[in-house]
Amino acid sequence: MKKHFLFLFLFTLIHAFPAFSQEAKYIFYLIGDGMGLNQVNLTEIHQAETQHKNNPTLLVFTQFPHVGFASTHSLSNGVTDSGAGGTALAVGKKTKNGVIGMDSTGTIPYKSIAYAAKEQGKKVGIITSVSIDHATPASFYAHQPDRDMYYEIGHEIINSNFDFFGGSNFLKPETTFDGKKAPSLLPLLEKAGYTIVRGKNAYTKKHMVDKMIFMNSEGAPADALKYAIDQKPEDLKLADLTAAAITALHQDNSKGFFLMVEGGKIDWACHANDAATTIQEVMDFNASAQLAYEFYQKYPKETLIVVTADHETGGLGIGNGSSSLKTRILSHQKTSQSELSNAIGNLRKDRPNATWDDLKKLISLQTGLFSKIEVLETDRKALQDAYQKSFVDHQNETAKSLYASDDKIAALSISILNRMGSISWASNNHSAAYAPVYAIGVGSELFNQKMDNTDIPKKIATAAKLTLD
């Protein structure tokens, strides 16, 4: 009788708490940098409006069965930066703004969920749409008191022994934090056994290797991949890195893998208050989530996918007065604010005597203002005054955000388009808004609640039976 009761008890326990009876062999940890709930919501609303639908068109990850939200404050501030935010998501502990993978004094290193996975024998991949040494990816493999210690952060890849890295490049591959010349990182990484693959076209020739670093082609920007709205077919995309990482990590692998994917330029677009570019960055991030989901469909009893953000950026608001949304207007924007700024700069350089009509034609071509969207007289005057200062008086004013210093005319044009498209912004910086959390697969029920950002890696550790502390 006692044996029968014990059997029933254990059977009930296993089926009541599947997170403890199963183990996540394959872990996808997707982080949309700066991606608050409204960035996700705007993308879905815009997709629906462009299809003349009223109900939002769902992204892949918003259809996951378990949804929660997380607080994001750091140990030092109510509004986190990406160093403290990334550290919280990587190690499950708070630290002060600016620190990477360490305590607030910058003296005690913390073990990340990626290292915990490696200790268990899993392969590990870290990829991003910005530089490999940027704050969020760095938080998973590096331990530095300052997020700007790019050389020192990149150098830690060698000791990490992780299997796959992907991103645009390294920001300071030959210069230490104190400005001294140092041995170039890339030869050091190759000596440590990493194969460096540059550019989309080079990948297919070298994807069957043990350790890889997949980056932009030579001559391409080191700080980030191009914005999705500006990309051409030959440009390296986050989804390309994701597909390559899945292939590399899954081959000859009995223990499973851990893959962190960061959509880093959602944050950059929001710092610039560029709604159309933000939408395309979220869609670009969603393409990587789609690849993770397709993998999950093949291995549903062994895979966990968690999608979240380190913080929200910009204080994005959807609806700025009228009850009717007009986000469809944003689809007239053809390039990022950054590229529009470059185009205006080139016009000024190539045609010093460019007229107001010349500038208006350029703005119209890139944003739809004037040609497809009626511009208010006050907005026309503001743009024409900016033209006078810039092209006639040669007072080249800029609009600065964290990752850009754009031409004021470009920023003004995008601001007008945003307002007419029902979008408002609270600032050019991070906010304290909750970060959304979406999960599917083994242990995903652990994420169906309100939590702190430090809880997320702990819950992943529970689902995968990893030792995080």
Side-chain angles (χ1 to χ4, degrees):
M1 183 69 180
K2 289 182 179 179
K3 289 183 178 179
H4 179 69
F5 176 78
L6 181 61
F7 172 79
L8 289 176
F9 174 77
L10 291 173
F11 180 85
T12 302
L13 185 66
I14 289 171
H15 286 272
F17 301 98
F20 298 97
S21 63
Q22 295 175 299
E23 179 178 323
K25 179 178 180 180
Y26 305 109
I27 305 162
F28 291 88
Y29 197 0
L30 282 74
I31 301 171
D33 198 315
M35 188 186 73
L37 188 59
N38 267 1
Q39 279 78 0
V40 176
N41 193 20
L42 171 61
T43 303
E44 295 188 326
I45 290 171
H46 178 263
Q47 294 302 305
E49 286 199 337
T50 56
Q51 299 170 35
H52 303 284
K53 298 177 181 178
N54 190 43
N55 295 327
T57 300
L58 300 180
L59 301 173
V60 171
F61 57 86
T62 60
Q63 300 176 68
F64 288 177
H66 297 284
V67 180
F69 58 98
S71 52
T72 62
H73 62 280
S74 72
L75 192 63
S76 59
N77 297 85
V79 178
T80 189
D81 82 319
S82 289
T87 296
L89 293 178
V91 310
K93 297 178 185 293
K94 297 285 189 184
T95 192
K96 71 176 182 179
N97 283 7
V99 176
I100 298 293
M102 304 185 79
D103 74 326
S104 60
T105 68
T107 58
I108 301 174
Y110 293 145
K111 181 173 74 175
S112 76
I113 189 73
Y115 277 102
K118 192 66 176 175
E119 285 177 357
Q120 197 188 64
K122 295 184 185 296
K123 291 187 177 183
V124 175
I126 306 294
I127 62 175
T128 177
S129 57
V130 294
S131 63
I132 298 168
D133 49 14
H134 221 257
T136 300
S139 297
F140 286 82
Y141 68 85
H143 316 84
Q144 297 294 337
D146 193 312
R147 61 177 290 181
D148 292 337
M149 301 179 74
Y150 297 115
Y151 181 87
E152 292 78 4
I153 287 170
H155 197 276
E156 288 200 59
I157 288 177
I158 296 172
N159 291 330
S160 77
N161 201 35
F162 290 173
D163 304 271
F164 192 101
F165 288 89
S168 59
N169 207 314
F170 295 90
L171 290 178
K172 296 289 183 67
E174 298 179 349
T175 308
T176 62
F177 183 59
D178 58 5
K180 295 179 181 177
K181 185 76 172 176
S184 178
L185 280 178
L186 297 186
L188 292 177
L189 291 167
E190 288 180 315
K191 186 177 180 180
Y194 286 96
T195 297
I196 309 294
V197 179
R198 286 183 172 275
K200 187 173 181 177
N201 294 333
Y203 166 71
T204 55
K205 302 173 184 176
K206 297 183 178 180
H207 69 273
M208 299 299 286
V209 296
D210 291 332
K211 295 196 296 183
M212 181 194 300
I213 300 177
F214 192 1
M215 306 188 306
N216 257 337
S217 56
E218 291 192 50
D223 60 344
L225 306 184
K226 286 185 180 179
Y227 280 119
I229 197 172
D230 299 326
Q231 286 176 349
K232 303 294 188 292
E234 65 272 15
D235 291 321
L236 186 62
K237 300 174 177 58
L238 184 62
D240 297 325
L241 296 175
T242 305
I246 292 172
T247 299
L249 297 176
H250 194 223
Q251 67 182 7
D252 302 325
N253 185 358
S254 62
K255 296 290 186 68
F257 62 73
F258 171 93
L259 176 60
M260 192 288 293
V261 180
E262 185 204 19
K265 294 195 80 173
I266 299 171
D267 177 62
W268 292 29
C270 292
H271 275 294
N273 289 174
D274 185 345
T277 299
T278 297
I279 290 167
Q280 295 306 314
E281 286 303 304
V282 174
M283 290 299 296
D284 187 62
F285 180 69
N286 186 60
S288 287
Q290 176 66 44
L291 293 174
Y293 181 66
E294 289 171 2
F295 185 94
Y296 159 81
Q297 288 179 305
K298 295 176 183 177
Y299 308 96
K301 295 182 179 180
E302 299 177 287
T303 304
L304 170 64
I305 307 174
V306 178
V307 180
T308 189
D310 55 349
H311 54 74
E312 192 274 347
T313 301
L316 173 63
I318 309 171
N320 54 10
S322 171
S323 58
S324 296
L325 295 178
K326 300 177 181 179
T327 69
R328 186 168 62 236
I329 286 175
L330 300 173
S331 63
H332 293 302
Q333 185 176 328
K334 303 306 179 187
T335 61
S336 66
Q337 178 174 295
S338 177
E339 281 301 303
L340 177 58
S341 176
N342 291 337
I344 292 171
N346 289 335
L347 177 64
R348 186 186 298 109
K349 177 182 176 182
D350 298 337
R351 300 181 61 186
N353 297 320
T355 66
W356 160 242
D357 284 338
D358 293 329
L359 177 62
K360 188 166 72 169
K361 183 178 179 181
L362 173 60
I363 293 171
S364 175
L365 181 66
Q366 300 295 347
T367 67
L369 293 174
F370 299 106
S371 59
K372 298 178 181 178
I373 305 167
E374 186 176 351
V375 176
L376 298 176
E377 178 60 23
T378 52
D379 291 331
R380 183 204 62 75
K381 187 177 185 304
L383 283 169
Q384 197 161 4
D385 287 348
Y387 160 79
Q388 175 70 29
K389 287 183 178 180
S390 178
F391 281 80
V392 179
D393 300 335
H394 303 293
Q395 300 174 17
N396 298 335
E397 297 179 299
T398 59
K400 293 185 179 180
S401 60
L402 184 60
Y403 296 109
S405 182
D406 293 329
D407 189 282
K408 185 177 181 179
I409 298 171
L412 183 57
S413 300
I414 299 304
S415 177
I416 292 168
L417 183 64
N418 279 201
R419 190 184 72 248
M420 298 181 76
S422 309
I423 301 303
S424 61
W425 299 88
S427 77
N428 292 101
N429 292 308
H430 301 173
S431 79
Y434 287 126
V437 184
Y438 309 90
I440 191 171
V442 181
S444 58
E445 65 276 3
L446 296 169
F447 299 89
N448 200 29
Q449 62 187 86
K450 190 265 182 184
M451 65 199 86
D452 187 68
N453 56 4
T454 56
D455 294 325
I456 299 174
K458 295 173 185 176
K459 292 177 184 293
I460 293 174
T462 297
K465 292 182 170 53
L466 304 176
T467 302
L468 187 57
D469 291 328

